[in-house]
Amino acid sequence: MNSSNTSLSAPLTSGVALITCNGLAYLPQQLRSILAQTRPVVHIVVSDDCSTDGTWAYLEAWAREVPVRVTLIRNDPPLGVSANFEQAMRLVEADIVFSADQDDVWMPDKVALLAAVFEADDSVQLAHTDAVLTDANGHDLGATLFEELQISRAERRDIRGGNAFRVYCRRNVVTGAAAAFRRRLIGLVQPLPPKTMFYHDGWLALMAAASGRIVMLDTPTIQYRQHGANLVGVKRLGRLTKLRHLWWAIGSPSPLKATTDSLLSARATLHAHMAGRAGLAPSHIAMAQESVDFVRWRGRLPGSPIVRCARVAGALLAGRYHTFAHEPWVDALRDSLNR
């Protein structure tokens, strides 16, 4: 580790941005796990999106009894996930912000482990970890988050070698519930885009990778509960799922333009946001532009099947699909078939 980046100052403070919405079934266990950390947090912000199941009354009673500073906000009408999280993270008064879901359980040393990462290197903007997957009742499913996401060796090498932005431009492998970031990142990520373009953890990861280092740890720090009400759960790309994706690519009647238009809007938003910010690596801004250009290129592929297939094959050989497409071979097949 570069000693010039090593921080020898006082320990960093840690705070929590927790968003809730009708989470009473699992919330008490999550809150207990946050308070049971071996390294205490100094501030917990809970922003509730108009719960109707008793969550708000529980939070009010809980906040009066706990030995830590708590800020409660109730949104009526609800803000929606992205705006709710943005509100919560802005209000956290601590050096490191831990995002939290209402239905997970933290391992006791989560804060201590991640805080040490930031204290060791001031260039680290965001750190994220693996997670143990559990069912609705908290029973271990025998798998971890990283296993289900199928993070490749190449992706791990890029993330740990300082090329995380290259990975996140293609797909997000950061789960906010298992991550923490420096508070100074907040000014860079605002305003958060709507979740139809980016989930907030993916957006934070992109901005963190564009402005500093990312640390990925294989140690699980949460029990990541999977249940029917998850906003975002783990969707494993196993062999059967991949075959379904391939079959869909072959048989889909939908024109490719609808997909590329949506993707273009998201990636253009990313580039526009980055181009107007100081402190970002020019190479990352250039990659964001290349990502936009690639989607535009896909949307303008010619109608002739022979010419189309030849151009797709050329882009595959040049590595453009593997750099900018989530599922390179499936996306290349869709482009060849105009689907």
Side-chain angles (χ1 to χ4, degrees):
M1 185 176 292
N2 190 334
S3 60
S4 65
N5 289 331
T6 300
S7 171
L8 300 176
S9 59
L12 299 174
T13 57
S14 300
V16 180
L18 169 63
I19 58 175
T20 59
C21 182
N22 294 329
L24 188 58
Y26 305 116
L27 181 60
Q29 189 178 10
Q30 168 68 303
L31 292 173
R32 285 194 297 271
S33 74
I34 293 173
L35 293 179
Q37 291 295 298
T38 58
R39 176 167 172 166
V41 299
V42 300
H43 190 199
I44 300 174
V45 176
V46 186
S47 185
D48 182 74
D49 237 9
C50 202
S51 290
T52 58
D53 68 341
T55 291
W56 182 250
Y58 179 86
L59 285 168
E60 288 185 307
W62 172 82
R64 289 193 293 267
E65 300 296 328
V66 296
V68 63
R69 181 185 172 199
V70 176
T71 300
L72 299 181
I73 311 104
R74 179 168 171 80
N75 306 314
D76 188 3
L79 299 179
V81 175
S82 294
N84 194 19
F85 178 74
E86 185 170 1
Q87 173 175 259
M89 73 174 183
R90 280 201 313 263
L91 294 174
V92 174
E93 295 185 12
D95 301 311
I96 309 167
V97 179
F98 287 76
S99 55
D101 289 345
Q102 63 187 6
D103 45 12
D104 301 321
V105 178
W106 288 13
M107 308 298 193
D109 60 349
K110 175 183 179 178
V111 171
L113 179 67
L114 290 176
V117 170
F118 292 99
E119 289 171 345
D121 189 344
D122 188 60
S123 70
V124 175
Q125 290 282 65
L126 181 146
H128 68 113
T129 75
D130 205 348
V132 173
L133 302 185
T134 68
D135 65 14
N137 297 315
H139 298 141
D140 193 332
L141 292 174
T144 72
L145 175 64
F146 286 175
E147 289 170 353
E148 298 298 275
L149 290 175
Q150 298 185 348
I151 303 175
S152 69
R153 289 183 180 179
E155 288 173 328
R156 290 172 181 267
R157 185 170 58 248
D158 278 342
I159 292 170
R160 289 171 173 154
N163 295 315
F165 189 79
R166 174 186 173 91
V167 176
Y168 303 152
C169 253
R170 183 171 63 253
R171 69 166 181 142
N172 178 41
V173 297
V174 174
T175 298
F181 56 94
R182 290 190 189 272
R183 195 179 195 284
R184 69 189 183 203
L185 187 64
I186 293 176
L188 183 61
V189 303
Q190 293 184 110
L192 297 184
K195 68 180 180 67
T196 51
M197 290 186 179
F198 293 93
Y199 284 108
H200 60 262
D201 46 12
W203 184 256
L204 282 162
L206 279 163
M207 293 301 106
S211 59
R213 287 192 61 222
I214 300 286
V215 170
M216 182 177 74
L217 301 177
D218 289 326
T219 304
T221 59
I222 67 168
Q223 295 175 16
Y224 190 27
R225 199 187 303 265
Q226 304 296 293
H227 55 83
N230 282 90
L231 176 68
V232 181
V234 175
K235 300 175 179 63
R236 185 174 190 177
L237 293 181
R239 291 181 180 177
L240 181 58
T241 303
K242 289 180 178 179
L243 286 173
R244 286 173 177 163
H245 284 198
L246 187 62
W247 179 254
W248 172 75
I250 295 172
S252 172
S254 304
L256 183 63
K257 188 176 184 302
T259 299
T260 54
D261 282 354
S262 175
L263 192 56
L264 179 61
S265 178
R267 295 193 176 181
T269 296
L270 172 64
H271 177 259
H273 184 90
M274 293 179 64
R277 297 296 192 278
L280 302 185
S283 61
H284 293 141
I285 297 175
M287 179 168 282
Q289 179 63 66
E290 290 171 16
S291 177
V292 173
D293 294 341
F294 176 68
V295 179
R296 282 205 181 105
W297 174 84
R298 290 181 66 191
R300 295 171 181 170
L301 282 166
S304 166
I306 295 176
V307 177
R308 174 184 288 272
C309 289
R311 292 189 182 178
V312 169
L316 264 173
L317 290 173
R320 296 185 76 195
Y321 278 92
H322 286 81
T323 300
F324 298 115
H326 185 185
E327 295 182 275
W329 295 104
V330 170
D331 287 344
L333 178 59
R334 288 191 66 203
D335 289 353
S336 299
L337 299 173
N338 189 22
R339 292 178 178 171

